[in-house]
Amino acid sequence: MDYDVVVAGGGPVGLMLACELRLGGARVAVLERLTEVNPTIKGGAITTPSAVALYRRGMLPALAEVQRQAMDRFQAFMREQNSGDAGQGLGIVGHFAGIMLRADLVDRTEPGLGDAGPASQIAFVAQQDIERLLGGRADELGVDVRRGVELTGFDADEEAVTVRTSHGAIRAGWLVGCDGGRSTVRKLAGFEFPGTEPEITCHQAVVEMTGAEDLKIGWTATDTGVYAYGPMPGRVVTVEFDGPPAERDAPVTTEDLQARLRRVSGVDITITEVQTATRFTDHARQVTEYRKGRVLLAGDAAHVHSAFGSQGLSLGIGDAMNLGWKLAAVIAGQAPEGLLDTYTAERHPVGVWVLDWTRSQVAAMRPDPQSRALREIVSDLAGTVAGTTYLTARLNGGGLRYELPGEHPLTGRSTPDLELTDGDRLADHLHGGRALLLDLTDDPELRALAAGYAGRVDTLMAGCPSRPELAAVLVRPDGFTAWAADAGAKAPTSTAGLTEALEEWFGAPEGAVTPG
């Protein structure tokens, strides 16, 4: 084998997956047809789950610096617009269908909203910046990133995959398609890709223009669609309900962009220069399974939808975190191949929800009277604590729970970023991509059960004054709780289920005798 895994696609999802595989010891090559990061404007923000994933791998300082620079640009833009409050964007936590969600209306005591630690302060990080940061991390970890190399085909059998590229063939144990919504891997492998047809045409661009003083900052619904202006100089978005683009790949012209912005906004602007522009639509599709033999999919290769709410990047990063450690464990012989079945089982329902989340936003953006009446109701709800808290929690994955064995409320959920007695936080101990058994009551029985998993499961004894009810937590490498127990529980209840959870996710302990 040349590599254990070939990852097709070197965007944020492919790079994140490659980094996770390397942490698990796998030999990885990433094939990316572009020679450098695509400068075309994409998402300008990330949701909390993405920030948490990167935080757990030690990337919080880099994210914070990128966000600081983005906020400097935003505040300069607000001052240029003669806004009375150049810092007002700091009071927004996101939007639903262009309806802004105010930070001061969010109840942070709700589950999933107060558990992210300092990662909850990260949002204004563009997709290109994420790709650059992950590219640097991949280099540090020894991932072989091959830019300017395109996958052209592959042959898969029960033992391996032979990947054909524009620069020759590569033999690997596994192939993962992270090659976007038009995935070559998905098409060649024959994955079913059902979904709903598009109905809108959207444009996003950064331009220079005159007449912009009459454009409203933020998102605005009009009689002909929806448009957005800001949060950076010249950034505009138009949403029109005239069907999908006739030619998706045709260049976005200055004349067309100007006509659309005038039509939707009703403002007689003149675009003098287009710095970057793209068009997109709202077709929503998802593969029925994320694996076919030795070929798997992640990110947009597995699911596509409209870009509203910055859900696409978050969904793909979540796929990469979920798949990476599992595939690495199978490759290392630390888990049976059946562990990979949990990838589809856990991530497919999340994709279903995100597709519906984006469909619902399109419904609330339509300019017909019925949809506008619905939008007014949603706007009213978003003006309440309960409504904003619900929408923010859903936007940031607060309702996500994998169906894992166990009755504890944390089981199957993203583990809270617990603050420990030594001043560390839980995320400080997850940088290496291994599982962690956190012993909060100095219980030698717990540590004895984990002793056979050295190198697979780290053990940490600490205190957590903010959560005195907790006795112990078994955290998977992706940061989700595999098992937890409360303090005060009597033996054997305090360790009940821990042996099963360890074996379920991390195989048999060292020294175990296999029957027969």
Side-chain angles (χ1 to χ4, degrees):
M1 298 289 177
D2 299 311
Y3 296 93
D4 295 313
V5 185
V6 167
V7 176
V13 176
L15 291 171
M16 187 75 186
L17 175 63
C19 290
E20 291 299 293
L21 289 165
R22 279 299 299 142
L23 288 176
R27 298 170 301 144
V28 189
V30 175
L31 310 181
E32 172 53 55
R33 64 180 181 83
L34 299 179
T35 57
E36 58 185 18
V37 176
N38 187 348
T40 303
I41 185 170
K42 296 181 181 179
I46 60 175
T47 58
T48 299
S50 292
V52 168
L54 298 168
Y55 167 44
R56 285 170 172 160
R57 296 302 183 254
M59 299 177 68
L60 185 67
L63 292 174
E65 174 57 22
V66 170
Q67 176 170 266
R68 183 194 64 77
Q69 296 173 15
M71 289 310 302
D72 286 347
R73 293 191 295 270
F74 168 70
Q75 291 174 336
F77 166 70
M78 295 300 290
R79 288 191 293 269
E80 290 175 4
Q81 303 306 307
N82 296 316
S83 170
D85 182 7
Q88 66 175 329
L90 296 174
I92 300 298
V93 294
H95 74 87
F96 177 87
I99 300 168
M100 307 313 290
L101 305 175
R102 289 168 41 192
D104 63 338
L105 292 177
V106 178
D107 180 0
R108 294 289 176 181
T109 65
E110 284 293 306
L113 284 179
D115 298 336
S120 63
Q121 303 301 312
I122 301 297
F124 296 102
V125 182
Q127 181 169 324
Q128 284 96 337
D129 291 319
I130 296 292
E131 186 172 334
R132 291 186 186 96
L133 292 175
L134 286 172
R137 178 170 171 80
D139 289 341
E140 293 172 0
L141 292 174
V143 175
D144 183 4
V145 179
R146 301 186 178 188
R147 287 197 167 273
V149 178
E150 184 174 5
L151 179 147
T152 58
F154 63 85
D155 297 301
D157 55 38
E158 293 183 357
E159 302 296 328
V161 183
T162 300
V163 179
R164 296 188 297 277
T165 81
S166 55
H167 287 60
I170 303 173
R171 183 97 167 144
W174 302 83
L175 170 64
V176 185
C178 300
D179 49 343
R182 305 180 191 183
S183 170
T184 299
V185 174
R186 183 188 68 235
K187 294 173 182 176
L188 293 178
F191 284 87
E192 294 182 34
F193 200 41
T196 52
E197 296 298 323
E199 62 176 283
I200 65 176
T201 293
C202 304
H203 286 80
Q204 180 174 211
V206 176
V207 304
E208 292 185 9
M209 57 185 165
T210 60
E213 60 273 7
D214 292 326
L215 292 173
K216 294 181 179 180
I217 296 172
W219 289 82
T220 303
T222 72
D223 292 339
T224 52
V226 177
Y227 78 93
Y229 179 40
M232 55 186 288
R235 185 260 189 173
V236 293
V237 179
T238 62
V239 184
E240 296 179 276
F241 289 82
D242 54 355
E247 296 183 51
R248 177 75 184 276
D249 296 323
V252 178
T253 66
T254 301
E255 295 74 20
D256 185 41
L257 195 59
Q258 176 176 284
R260 289 178 179 275
L261 184 53
R262 286 180 175 182
R263 186 162 56 244
V264 177
S265 69
V267 177
D268 193 24
I269 59 92
T270 298
I271 295 177
T272 57
E273 181 183 342
V274 177
Q275 298 176 4
T276 177
T278 187
R279 67 168 60 87
F280 60 94
T281 188
D282 65 322
H283 62 300
R285 299 185 179 280
Q286 183 182 22
V287 294
T288 55
E289 55 186 338
Y290 285 15
R291 177 192 173 198
K292 278 183 173 291
R294 290 186 169 268
V295 181
L296 302 104
L297 301 177
D300 288 351
H303 36 68
V304 295
H305 51 81
S306 70
F308 303 127
S310 301
Q311 288 292 313
L313 179 60
S314 179
L315 186 57
I317 292 292
D319 291 347
M321 289 289 285
N322 189 285
L323 174 60
W325 70 273
K326 294 175 180 178
L327 183 53
V330 170
I331 291 167
Q334 297 173 345
E337 193 171 311
L339 179 64
L340 295 178
D341 294 336
T342 66
Y343 173 51
T344 294
E346 292 179 356
R347 295 303 298 172
H348 192 276
V350 184
V352 169
W353 176 81
V354 169
L355 263 64
D356 282 343
W357 172 267
T358 58
R359 289 183 181 115
S360 66
Q361 292 190 71
V362 171
M365 286 182 170
R366 293 185 186 119
D368 61 84
Q370 294 88 346
S371 299
R372 284 300 156 87
L374 172 64
R375 184 180 183 84
E376 286 298 318
I377 293 173
V378 176
S379 296
D380 286 345
L381 290 173
T384 67
V385 170
T388 295
T389 299
Y390 169 81
L391 291 170
T392 303
R394 299 297 282 176
L395 176 67
N396 286 304
L400 174 58
R401 183 176 189 178
Y402 298 144
E403 295 297 326
L404 306 186
E407 300 299 324
H408 195 279
L410 288 182
T411 302
R413 296 191 181 277
S414 179
T415 309
D417 187 39
L418 303 173
E419 187 172 4
L420 308 177
T421 49
D422 61 1
D424 284 353
R425 303 192 71 97
L426 179 64
D428 297 326
H429 298 275
L430 300 177
H431 294 181
R434 289 186 297 277
L436 176 69
L437 177 62
L438 180 62
D439 175 9
L440 298 170
T441 59
D442 190 9
D443 187 340
E445 185 178 358
L446 288 173
R447 300 194 295 278
L449 288 174
Y453 292 88
R456 285 176 278 173
V457 180
D458 295 337
T459 303
L460 175 66
M461 187 173 65
C464 182
S466 65
R467 299 292 294 265
E469 78 279 9
L470 278 178
V473 184
L474 177 62
V475 186
R476 301 192 322 188
D478 59 357
F480 279 73
T481 302
W483 171 89
D486 285 336
K490 301 297 183 182
T493 306
S494 61
T495 58
L498 177 56
T499 298
E500 292 80 4
L502 287 166
E503 292 182 355
E504 170 77 15
W505 300 110
F506 312 113
E510 289 293 330
V513 177
T514 303

